[in-house]
Amino acid sequence: MKLYYATGTCSLSPHIVALEAGIALELERVDIRTTPHRTETGVDFTTRHANGYVPALELDDGSLLTEGAAMVQYLADLAPGARLAPPAGTVERYRLQSWLNFIATELHKMYSPWLFHPEYGAQAQEVARSKIAERLAYIDRHLAASGPYLLGTGFTAADAYLFTIVGWSAFTNVDLAPFPQLRDFLARVGARPQVRAAMHAEGMKVAA
């Protein structure tokens, strides 16, 4: 399989899940600063994925799977022994999906586009940061009561997604000081060897 990615984007999440699951991926970087977006081999990415955004996962049959929340579940289900997603049909699986949807809608789309585009204005960005802080406080309380990971004691695909999105906080000036449980979570996940390997492969700075 091939993962189309761009450094510093949410493509890190399925990449982490693949490595944690022991699944080898071919990587192809997409330059999202160009119009049209081009892959490192010079291909117009919109000819591969009409929406033109990353991540996108090319399956072994040549078809394309999009949307990070779907990708991480697909990858996790390929390696059930890695326990990155509870079995389909269980209540715990629906809890995983609940967290994936929460991160996608309440965090991901608050950080991006609002905090990645200064042309929206300072007022809009401060409103976004305020909303993000409310959601991070909710996660911090959950981790304190039910952690150390989102579903309890085991690392799952939802944790990979949360780590990826909240990892944008320094770049977007989101203050994590009020959230000690979340900061501990980021340090815990960031120390995992496969997380570090995914970040290194995508050209991201890895903490010493």
Side-chain angles (χ1 to χ4, degrees):
M1 291 183 288
K2 179 189 291 187
L3 178 67
Y4 292 96
Y5 78 98
T7 302
T9 70
C10 58
S11 57
L12 179 65
S13 175
H15 193 175
I16 289 171
V17 171
L19 291 184
E20 291 278 354
I23 298 169
L25 292 178
E26 179 184 351
L27 299 176
E28 184 154 357
R29 184 176 54 81
V30 179
D31 187 349
I32 59 175
R33 298 167 298 177
T34 62
T35 303
H37 300 339
R38 293 197 176 275
T39 74
E40 61 189 293
T41 58
V43 174
D44 178 349
F45 185 51
T46 59
T47 65
R48 193 67 191 93
H49 179 20
N51 285 336
Y53 56 72
V54 294
L57 184 66
E58 184 178 288
L59 306 184
D60 290 337
D61 64 2
S63 64
L64 207 65
L65 183 63
T66 63
E67 304 305 327
M71 267 180 261
V72 296
Q73 292 181 79
Y74 175 79
L75 291 165
D77 286 339
L78 291 179
R83 302 177 68 86
L84 295 166
T90 64
V91 171
E92 283 302 301
R93 180 56 168 257
Y94 294 113
R95 291 197 174 104
L96 174 79
Q97 293 172 340
S98 177
W99 277 114
L100 290 171
N101 282 316
F102 177 86
I103 297 164
T105 59
E106 300 295 327
L107 285 177
H108 190 161
K109 287 306 176 185
M110 291 300 294
Y111 279 90
S112 175
W114 300 106
L115 301 185
F116 283 80
H117 294 275
E119 64 269 22
Y120 289 136
Q123 182 178 5
Q125 293 196 330
E126 285 311 306
V127 169
R129 289 189 183 95
S130 176
K131 295 295 184 182
I132 288 169
E134 293 174 4
R135 286 135 178 84
L136 296 183
Y138 167 74
I139 295 172
D140 200 69
R141 292 191 298 270
H142 172 78
L143 290 173
S146 305
Y149 298 105
L150 288 174
L151 267 66
T153 59
F155 177 87
T156 69
D159 299 302
Y161 194 13
L162 180 63
F163 174 82
T164 297
I165 301 307
V166 180
W168 294 341
S169 294
F171 174 78
T172 56
N173 295 317
V174 172
D175 184 13
L176 298 182
F179 313 117
Q181 300 297 326
L182 186 55
R183 287 187 280 108
D184 287 348
F185 168 88
L186 293 175
R188 185 180 308 115
V189 174
R192 295 177 70 89
Q194 301 298 1
V195 173
R196 294 171 64 86
M199 294 177 70
H200 178 77
E202 293 195 14
M204 300 176 65
K205 182 179 180 181
V206 179

